[in-house]
Amino acid sequence: MLKLFKYELRKTLNIKIIMLCVTGILELFFLFGLYGDNDNIFAASCFFLFLMAFVATVIIGVHSMKLLRNDLNTKQAYMLFMTPNSSYKILGAKVIENGVSVFLTGVFYFLLGMLDISLVFGKYGELSYMLDYINEFFAFKNWDAISISLLASYGLVQILHWLYIIAVAFFAIVLSATFFNGKKWNSFASLGIFIAIVVVVNVIINAIFGGASIAISSAQNLIMSAIFFVLSVVMYFITAWVMDNSLSV
């Protein structure tokens, strides 16, 4: 499993280096705008850094989907699945690599965001004022007081939710390469199943928690995180079972 994990990590390394370089450039613009008192550059860099945090996570997931699809539909599949490794190990390496990558990406951008916020407050000396303003602004929604634990638990929900989305996408891709293989409506069927599973689960989650929002408590965020983690594990085992029993390479 460790060798497979390293193999998957190497396949995704280039895209991560590119995202890190782009983030570094944006951070330089942020620092220039902040300490050079250039409001336009400062505002633009803040926006693009925030956007990059979201885009980077999406790219990691989409890239993993692309790699799995390539492994199942090109000569790479022959080489990979002819190794003395079960589908559970092969898929497990992909899921673990993606989960670790998404988690580290989330932690990286969270810490970078905290650092940048500290730099802004350090320069202007308005940390307490800004926190009071944020709490008052969102008071009409009955949000908890902004805290590191609440932000961290909400971030964990988003990371595990995305991992669950990836796990469902893996399942849909495997269905496309097994049960729907050779069918003209192949892609539409697998996409429909993916959307159906995601929508149904989200409706159930929203019904239980009243909407996935940072407004809920840290404890509820942790419960929601656990639910998405369990769902990801379930989808992994189902997908690996299908691969083991129905995949032909």
Side-chain angles (χ1 to χ4, degrees):
M1 177 73 81
L2 182 59
K3 289 183 179 180
L4 288 172
F5 172 77
K6 291 180 179 178
Y7 172 68
E8 294 297 329
L9 195 60
R10 285 196 298 269
K11 290 198 297 184
T12 61
L13 190 59
N14 289 340
I15 192 69
K16 292 170 185 174
I17 292 176
I18 293 174
M19 290 187 296
L20 188 61
C21 290
V22 173
T23 301
I25 293 173
L26 292 175
E27 183 67 14
L28 289 176
F29 276 106
F30 168 81
L31 294 174
F32 177 79
L34 176 63
Y35 293 107
D37 294 320
N38 191 313
D39 293 339
N40 291 332
I41 293 179
F42 174 75
S45 61
C46 286
F47 170 77
F48 283 111
L49 278 171
F50 179 81
L51 181 63
M52 188 63 194
F54 171 77
V55 170
T57 306
V58 172
I59 289 177
I60 287 176
V62 172
H63 189 60
S64 295
M65 297 178 205
K66 180 179 179 293
L67 290 176
L68 176 60
R69 187 175 182 84
N70 289 342
D71 287 341
L72 295 175
N73 294 282
T74 67
K75 291 182 179 180
Q76 296 178 38
Y78 176 81
M79 298 298 295
L80 181 61
F81 289 95
M82 287 303 290
T83 60
N85 295 289
S86 67
S87 296
Y88 289 90
K89 286 186 178 181
I90 294 172
L91 184 65
K94 293 179 179 293
V95 172
I96 291 174
E97 187 281 326
N98 189 261
V100 170
S101 296
V102 169
F103 176 76
L104 292 180
T105 300
V107 171
F108 170 76
Y109 282 106
F110 176 77
L111 293 178
L112 182 62
M114 292 298 100
L115 174 62
D116 288 345
I117 291 174
S118 299
L119 292 175
V120 173
F121 291 147
K123 179 178 180 180
Y124 295 107
E126 298 178 346
L127 176 58
S128 59
Y129 168 77
M130 184 62 69
L131 289 178
D132 290 339
Y133 175 78
I134 292 174
N135 286 328
E136 290 176 6
F137 180 79
F138 290 114
F140 71 95
K141 288 187 176 182
N142 295 318
W143 283 28
D144 294 341
I146 299 298
S147 66
I148 297 298
S149 62
L150 182 61
L151 290 173
S153 64
Y154 179 72
L156 183 62
V157 170
Q158 299 309 309
I159 290 172
L160 290 175
H161 186 200
W162 182 239
L163 180 62
Y164 156 72
I165 296 294
I166 298 301
V168 177
F170 281 3
F171 173 66
I173 291 171
V174 169
L175 284 183
S176 176
T178 53
F179 295 120
F180 304 147
N181 190 27
K183 305 293 191 301
K184 291 183 178 180
W185 38 265
N186 182 325
S187 299
F188 294 104
S190 57
L191 178 61
I193 291 175
F194 167 77
I195 294 175
I197 294 175
V198 171
V199 169
V200 169
V201 170
N202 281 348
V203 168
I204 294 174
I205 292 293
N206 289 337
I208 295 174
F209 293 97
S213 170
I214 196 173
I216 62 181
S217 68
S218 297
Q220 288 177 307
N221 279 332
L222 292 177
I223 293 173
M224 192 181 300
S225 298
I227 291 174
F228 284 128
F229 177 76
V230 171
L231 289 174
S232 300
V233 172
V234 170
M235 292 307 306
Y236 156 71
F237 278 107
I238 293 175
T239 305
W241 181 86
V242 173
M243 290 173 65
D244 244 4
N245 291 273
S246 305
L247 187 63
S248 176
V249 295

